[in-house]
Amino acid sequence: MSVNSQTFLILLVFSLGLIGTYHWGMRYNLRLCRKWAQILEGLFSPQEKEYTWLGGVIGFTAEYKVFPFRRIKAVLRLVPRHSLLYWPFAFLMGRRDCLQILFYLPQSVKEEVHLIRKGLRMPYISNQAKLKKQELRLQGVPFILLFEKEPPAFGQSIGFHCLSGLKHLALTKENNVCYLELFLTEEEEVRKLIKVCFHVLLKPENQIG
């Protein structure tokens, strides 16, 4: 086989791999988008909903109208499985499927609190210097707890329940938001944590403000 024939064969195999990966990754991510949209709608039962695609098949942003919240916003970010060339970079950067949920609360947050999985890049927190810091292990998972005075019972009732996939849980004063960021690891555990958070926020005795 000549050099030109070998080069052509290598390029052909590589091209077929790109095409096959693109179609497989696109279908897989679309299934994930539909599945998590159905899960979130099933948990929140929104009166109104609006979705916007992110880059075609790498996720979506969603806004839900759910009483008594001002709104609930969800951002699903998926690994671009349709791009074979991106996979090595995604692996090196530790990219994983991730879901962010922001509950815009109807009342004011009295004290700011953050529960952050240790070992990951710390998120930007504008007033971090004013918060107290405590390191702890919950269900064997190391976390960093940031708070103003004492960790509120609200934060404990959510953050200390089921921790599979939990990356960051926060109550912020700036926009009166409960922020939840999750890795999409074990589906049932992730669903359970979202459900616990949502129902705790719905209870009048757990309203903040």
Side-chain angles (χ1 to χ4, degrees), residues 123-147:
Y124 172 74
I125 301 171
S126 59
N127 62 338
Q128 183 174 341
K130 299 179 181 179
L131 301 177
K132 298 178 182 179
K133 179 179 178 180
Q134 177 184 344
E135 294 190 8
L136 66 164
R137 297 185 72 88
L138 302 171
Q139 299 179 13
V141 181
F143 283 93
I144 295 172
L145 185 64
L146 303 176
F147 55 94

Side-chain angles (χ1 to χ4, degrees), residues 14 20 26 28 38-39 41-42 45 51 56 76 85 87 96 105 117 130 148 168 180 184 190 199:
F14 183 70
M26 184 173 62
Y28 190 92
Q38 291 174 353
I39 289 173
E41 290 180 27
S45 299
Y51 289 89
L76 177 68
L85 297 176
W87 277 10
R96 286 187 275 177
L105 305 172
R117 188 182 290 262
K130 299 179 181 179
E148 290 186 85
H168 186 187
L180 185 62
L184 302 184
V190 171
H199 285 284

Side-chain angles (χ1 to χ4, degrees), residues 2-181:
S2 67
V3 175
N4 287 339
S5 298
Q6 290 177 340
T7 302
F8 174 77
L9 183 59
I10 292 171
L11 290 174
L12 178 62
V13 172
F14 183 70
S15 299
L16 291 174
L18 286 176
I19 295 170
T21 300
Y22 176 82
H23 288 289
W24 172 83
M26 184 173 62
R27 290 194 300 268
Y28 190 92
N29 276 9
L30 284 173
R31 286 198 299 269
L32 284 179
C33 287
R34 294 190 187 103
K35 181 176 75 172
W36 283 103
Q38 291 174 353
I39 289 173
L40 293 175
E41 290 180 27
L43 291 171
F44 300 152
S45 299
Q47 291 90 39
E48 296 179 15
K49 58 191 177 183
E50 182 178 347
Y51 289 89
T52 303
W53 288 103
L54 296 178
V57 291
I58 59 172
F60 61 74
T61 62
E63 290 206 9
Y64 304 109
K65 183 177 180 181
V66 181
F67 181 83
F69 302 99
R70 289 177 288 146
R71 62 184 168 123
I72 297 176
K73 181 178 180 179
V75 181
L76 177 68
R77 299 184 187 277
L78 302 175
V79 175
R81 293 175 175 84
H82 60 293
S83 175
L84 181 61
L85 297 176
Y86 181 81
W87 277 10
F89 299 100
F91 177 78
L92 291 173
M93 293 187 294
R95 278 286 305 273
R96 286 187 275 177
D97 296 334
C98 183
L99 177 65
Q100 300 166 310
I101 304 177
L102 294 87
F103 299 91
Y104 288 81
L105 305 172
Q107 295 169 296
S108 300
V109 172
K110 290 181 178 179
E111 294 185 21
E112 185 154 339
V113 60
H114 296 263
L115 183 66
I116 305 162
R117 188 182 290 262
K118 189 177 179 181
L120 302 175
R121 178 191 292 182
M122 283 290 290
Y124 172 74
I125 301 171
S126 59
N127 62 338
Q128 183 174 341
K130 299 179 181 179
L131 301 177
K132 298 178 182 179
K133 179 179 178 180
Q134 177 184 344
E135 294 190 8
L136 66 164
R137 297 185 72 88
L138 302 171
Q139 299 179 13
V141 181
F143 283 93
I144 295 172
L145 185 64
L146 303 176
F147 55 94
E148 290 186 85
K149 298 177 182 177
E150 296 293 334
F154 166 77
Q156 294 177 10
S157 62
I158 295 176
F160 303 169
H161 243 282
C162 41
L163 300 171
S164 177
L166 179 61
K167 181 180 179 182
H168 186 187
L169 170 69
L171 285 169
T172 63
K173 286 182 174 180
E174 187 174 356
N175 295 307
N176 298 317
V177 166
C178 175
Y179 174 79
L180 185 62
E181 185 171 3

